[in-house]
Amino acid sequence: MVKVKDTPPAELLTCATRPEGLPEDSSLIAQIPTKIRAGIIRLARAFAGNADRADRLVNWNVPGSCPAAKTAP
């Protein structure tokens, strides 16, 4: 464990909020154009990466505060 000299502000020690996401209805996927769908996927992966980094930072300061990140497929 690493000793932290200054405790970050409370709002920086809050676990990331992860929204539920888009519905997983296979009949709806065909309605999203390929380039738009690819953009949505890029945004979701970037959001997930940022949320994971935020949770790791919180856990570094206050171990065990945030649940462990799920690994992406």
Side-chain angles (χ1 to χ4, degrees), residues 5 11-13 17 22 24 38 41 43-44 50 67:
K5 292 179 184 178
E11 68 267 12
L12 295 180
L13 293 176
T17 303
L22 300 172
E24 294 186 25
I41 291 169
L43 289 170
N50 288 334

Side-chain angles (χ1 to χ4, degrees), residues 7 10 13 15 20 29 40 43 59 63-64 68 71:
T7 303
L13 293 176
C15 299
E20 188 173 325
I29 291 174
I40 292 169
L43 289 170
N59 282 334
T71 55

Side-chain angles (χ1 to χ4, degrees), residues 16-52:
T17 303
R18 291 170 172 82
E20 188 173 325
L22 300 172
E24 294 186 25
D25 184 346
S26 60
S27 67
L28 297 175
I29 291 174
Q31 296 177 8
I32 302 173
T34 303
K35 289 183 179 181
I36 301 297
R37 185 172 179 273
I40 292 169
I41 291 169
R42 286 191 304 272
L43 289 170
R45 287 182 177 156
F47 178 85
N50 288 334
D52 289 344

Side-chain angles (χ1 to χ4, degrees), residues 44-73:
R45 287 182 177 156
F47 178 85
N50 288 334
D52 289 344
R53 277 188 290 280
D55 284 353
R56 286 197 314 269
L57 182 60
V58 171
N59 282 334
W60 186 60
N61 284 284
V62 186
S65 295
C66 300
K70 296 177 186 172
T71 55

